[in-house]
Amino acid sequence: MTSTMSVQALGQINAATHPCKQAGPTSRPRLSFRKVNAACSPSAQHRFLSGSRLLKSASPQTVRHRQTSVVASSAAASTPAVPAAAPKKENPLVLGALFAGWYGFNTFFNIYNKQVLKVFPYPVTCTTVQFAVGSLFAVFMWTVGLLKKPEFSKDMAKGISPLAGVHTLGNLLTNVSLGRVAVSFTHTIKALEPFFSVALSAAFLGDTPTIPIVLSLFPIVGGVAMASVTEATFNWGGFLAAMGSNITFQSRNVLSKKFMGKDTKGSVRLDNINLFSIITIMSFFILAPVTLLLEGVKFTPSAMQSMGILNSTEVIKKTLLAGVCFHAYQQVSYMILQRVTPVTHSVGNCLKRVIVIVASVIVFQNPMSKQNMIGTGISLAGVFIYSQVKRMSGKKKLA
């Protein structure tokens, strides 16, 4: 903060004392009798020297009067009505804690989820329970005032419904994939998200990708293909479910731009955390009847014991903990996004995937061949390259 203020102050003083530099919006022009810079135009030099001779020949009272008039009129014209606020500098300790929480909650969500799905193979029920826990979490935050309760309307519901639909399907397909293949392989496939983002944006939003962006997708696709060939837990059900999750989640992003960008008459814009909370509640009501229709009532101790699950209490506890971690890591993710740039968030998300893959391999002792590890590394490096190319493309657009 100190260095920023010093640079601004120096800029104001320099602009005020140099005849060829325009004063900034908060600076006050001062008359200077230094030697005129040779870089100034002849007309500027003539006006400046003429003003100096007039001031020298005038009486002291006239000089003071003219100086006061110049300063007053310039200040009235250049000073803004509301002073600009200094940019807020985020506390690195707070950011570090948020990133640690984001990675920790996401890692435990994947581990608990996989442990439950290995003995309780009902992904629709597990997904519904996670949405139920998230809904209770959101209602609690609104009730105690930790989060401002949004104003909900029919128009808002119409706009959010498509997002809730694809959000529901995306999380369901992710759980289906986690139940069929290794956690590390699911997250390797989910590294293909940038590919589907580019494809869907081009198809539905008319966003034509640049050549560097297209080239950055090659290592992502190639790395996932290399890892898939040698994956020990590979099966088409888990692979296609993860691919479907990619498509639905990127469709959600496209729908966010297409629908949520439109202002509806009388509507109130939602912040990301409230939007996610409403989507979670809507997803629960969408999936609950589907769960009863497809899987019935399975999330009870008696139903689990009839399936041969001896420690039903442990399964219920881990399912609920997975729901808490699921909602918590999403909330923390949005809190981070409010404090950093989207590119920084994207890089952090790439690192999060690396941590989840490493942690799952350690916990579940999944065998990974050398080619599998190389393919996973190439795909994740491709995601990082893609985020950097997007950042450079954004800078060129602003230039």
Side-chain angles (χ1 to χ4, degrees):
M1 181 68 73
T2 306
S3 61
T4 305
M5 293 177 64
S6 301
V7 171
Q8 291 175 347
L10 287 173
Q12 293 173 1
I13 294 171
N14 194 20
T17 56
H18 199 288
C20 291
K21 290 186 178 179
Q22 186 177 359
T26 57
S27 61
R28 298 180 62 179
R30 301 175 184 174
L31 294 172
S32 174
F33 301 102
R34 291 182 182 178
K35 183 178 179 181
V36 180
N37 195 323
C40 298
S41 63
S43 59
Q45 293 183 23
H46 175 73
R47 287 193 300 270
F48 180 73
L49 291 173
S50 299
S52 301
R53 285 194 295 269
L54 287 173
L55 286 173
K56 286 180 180 179
S57 60
S59 62
Q61 292 81 3
T62 304
V63 171
R64 284 193 299 271
H65 174 73
R66 289 180 180 176
Q67 288 177 339
T68 305
S69 301
V70 169
V71 170
S73 60
S74 178
S78 61
T79 303
V82 179
K88 184 180 178 181
K89 186 177 181 181
E90 295 296 337
N91 189 333
L93 293 178
V94 174
L95 273 180
L98 288 174
F99 272 97
W102 186 24
Y103 297 161
F105 284 130
N106 191 267
T107 301
F108 280 108
F109 162 72
N110 282 277
I111 290 174
Y112 287 146
N113 219 11
K114 181 64 177 178
Q115 288 174 341
V116 169
L117 289 168
K118 286 175 71 175
V119 297
F120 183 74
Y122 294 96
V124 184
T125 299
C126 290
T127 308
T128 304
V129 172
Q130 290 163 12
F131 286 144
V133 173
S135 300
L136 293 174
F137 198 86
V139 172
F140 171 77
M141 292 183 69
W142 289 333
T143 303
V144 301
L146 292 175
L147 192 64
K148 186 178 179 181
K149 188 177 179 180
E151 298 178 11
F152 199 68
S153 64
K154 291 183 179 179
D155 292 331
M156 187 180 294
K158 290 179 182 179
I160 296 177
S161 294
L163 301 177
V166 293
H167 179 77
T168 304
L169 184 58
N171 282 283
L172 175 59
L173 290 173
T174 298
N175 283 342
V176 170
S177 179
L178 287 172
R180 290 174 176 265
V181 297
V183 175
S184 57
F185 185 53
T186 297
H187 280 271
T188 300
I189 301 170
K190 287 177 73 65
L192 281 170
E193 285 179 352
F195 172 81
F196 290 104
S197 176
V198 171
L200 292 173
S201 296
F204 295 102
L205 299 179
D207 294 342
T208 304
T210 62
I211 293 177
I213 287 178
V214 173
L215 292 176
S216 69
L217 298 176
F218 280 95
I220 300 176
V221 177
V224 171
M226 183 183 296
S228 301
V229 171
T230 56
E231 173 59 38
T233 64
F234 179 88
N235 65 74
W236 283 106
F239 177 81
L240 293 176
M243 293 289 283
S245 174
N246 282 335
I247 295 173
T248 51
F249 278 134
Q250 295 313 308
S251 298
R252 180 187 62 183
N253 295 340
V254 171
L255 287 171
S256 297
K257 296 177 183 178
K258 196 173 182 66
F259 291 102
M260 299 307 293
K262 298 178 180 179
D263 285 328
T264 309
K265 188 175 181 180
S267 66
V268 179
R269 284 189 175 275
L270 295 172
D271 60 84
N272 287 330
I273 296 178
N274 269 324
L275 176 60
F276 171 71
S277 299
I278 292 175
I279 287 176
T280 301
I281 295 172
M282 294 179 70
S283 296
F284 169 73
F285 285 106
I286 291 172
L287 197 59
V290 177
T291 304
L292 294 176
L293 183 63
L294 295 180
E295 296 180 349
V297 180
K298 301 292 184 183
F299 195 67
T300 62
S302 58
M304 290 182 185
Q305 288 173 5
S306 65
M307 288 183 284
I309 299 175
L310 300 178
N311 196 352
S312 59
T313 304
E314 186 71 13
V315 173
I316 293 174
K317 183 181 74 173
K318 287 188 176 181
T319 304
L320 294 176
L321 284 173
V324 171
C325 291
F326 168 75
H327 197 78
Y329 92 75
Q330 296 275 10
Q331 292 270 15
V332 175
S333 174
Y334 286 125
M335 292 171 66
I336 293 173
L337 189 57
Q338 291 174 348
R339 289 168 167 80
V340 300
T341 64
V343 173
T344 302
H345 188 273
S346 177
V347 173
N349 189 54
C350 181
L351 180 59
K352 179 204 72 178
R353 212 173 289 286
V354 174
I355 293 174
V356 170
I357 290 173
V358 172
S360 67
V361 170
I362 294 173
V363 171
F364 298 109
Q365 297 294 309
N366 296 325
M368 290 186 71
S369 65
K370 186 176 181 180
Q371 182 177 338
N372 187 279
M373 289 188 286
I374 292 174
T376 301
I378 291 174
S379 64
L380 294 174
V383 173
F384 176 78
I385 294 171
Y386 169 81
S387 66
Q388 296 305 303
V389 171
K390 288 282 288 183
R391 178 178 64 85
M392 298 303 296
S393 299
K395 284 185 175 182
K396 288 181 180 179
K397 287 181 180 179
L398 292 174

